[in-house]
Amino acid sequence: FLIVCSSNIVVGLINNEYSNLNILSLIIDLFTCIFTAVIEELLFRELLLKELNYHYNPLKSIIISSLIFGSIHLLNINSISSIPICLLQAGYTSLLGLMLGFIYLASKNIIYPVFFHFAFNFLNDSLSTNIFNLKWNNIFFIVNISISLIMLIYGIIIYKLFKKEMTSYASTNMDF
């Protein structure tokens, strides 16, 4: 999962265009990323996903909460330079929400999605933009889409294994 969190660092290393590192900005971003990860995970996984999971099956609950999570990021239109970039952010945050939802339901612990969310925000945004002059060029899209597809395939495999394990556990441990 840390590969997803560092995809923009990979882009920066490939492009080899460094920026001036601003330590104060990086420290402020560190605390902002911690705060954001904790608040968003408590809201979207601990409250929303947990509530949805009482009413729907786990997969449907994860999908609904992920779409809401991505949709909320459309509010960033005020701080992002263009509508297409905002829509792209809503798309990849929906996919991120899927991963965070699977992590939360599989672990039954909010700490893991909080850590992953923090790592994604800090490494892919704050750290990478403080170290590199990132450009939304072909390399940026190729690296990020490739890593996303690899993680999507990995996630599907893990989900199928998890589902099979849970079905097997339920069938052998049910009280009649």
Side-chain angles (χ1 to χ4, degrees):
F1 292 118
L2 290 177
I3 293 169
V4 172
C5 297
S6 1
S7 61
N8 286 345
I9 292 174
V10 172
V11 171
L13 290 170
I14 292 170
N15 284 334
N16 199 25
E17 293 183 27
Y18 296 90
S19 67
N20 296 326
L21 184 62
N22 183 336
I23 298 296
L24 179 59
S25 175
L26 197 59
I27 292 169
I28 291 169
D29 284 352
L30 175 75
F31 288 106
T32 302
C33 288
I34 291 169
F35 178 76
T36 302
V38 169
I39 296 301
E40 287 185 353
E41 290 311 305
L42 288 173
L43 181 64
F44 289 100
R45 257 51 75 189
E46 187 69 23
L47 295 176
L48 179 62
L49 180 56
K50 191 183 266 187
E51 182 63 29
L52 288 169
N53 209 30
Y54 288 128
H55 303 284
Y56 304 105
N57 69 53
L59 183 59
K60 189 172 186 178
S61 300
I62 290 171
I63 291 170
I64 293 169
S65 67
S66 299
L67 291 173
I68 294 170
F69 180 67
S71 298
I72 289 295
H73 285 82
L74 291 172
L75 297 174
N76 289 340
I77 191 67
N78 293 331
S79 62
I80 296 178
S81 60
S82 71
I83 291 172
I85 292 174
C86 189
L87 291 172
L88 183 64
Q89 183 190 35
Y92 77 72
T93 53
S94 292
L95 293 174
L96 178 64
L98 285 173
M99 290 179 66
L100 295 169
F102 281 121
I103 291 169
Y104 177 70
L105 288 184
S107 67
K108 295 178 181 41
N109 189 334
I110 195 66
I111 296 299
Y112 297 116
V114 166
F115 172 76
F116 183 75
H117 192 149
F118 161 76
F120 184 87
N121 286 352
F122 185 72
L123 296 174
N124 247 1
D125 185 24
S126 302
L127 185 64
S128 61
T129 56
N130 267 287
I131 295 174
F132 303 106
N133 284 326
L134 292 178
K135 295 181 178 99
W136 289 46
N137 56 18
N138 290 340
I139 292 172
F140 177 87
F141 287 106
I142 290 169
V143 168
N144 280 289
I145 289 170
S146 299
I147 289 174
S148 296
L149 289 174
I150 291 167
M151 289 311 298
L152 180 63
I153 292 166
Y154 177 74
I156 291 169
I157 292 168
I158 294 299
Y159 174 74
K160 288 185 182 246
L161 291 173
F162 179 71
K163 185 177 175 184
K164 183 178 179 182
E165 181 181 311
M166 291 308 294
T167 304
S168 173
Y169 176 80
S171 65
T172 59
N173 294 301
M174 291 186 68
D175 295 327
F176 290 104

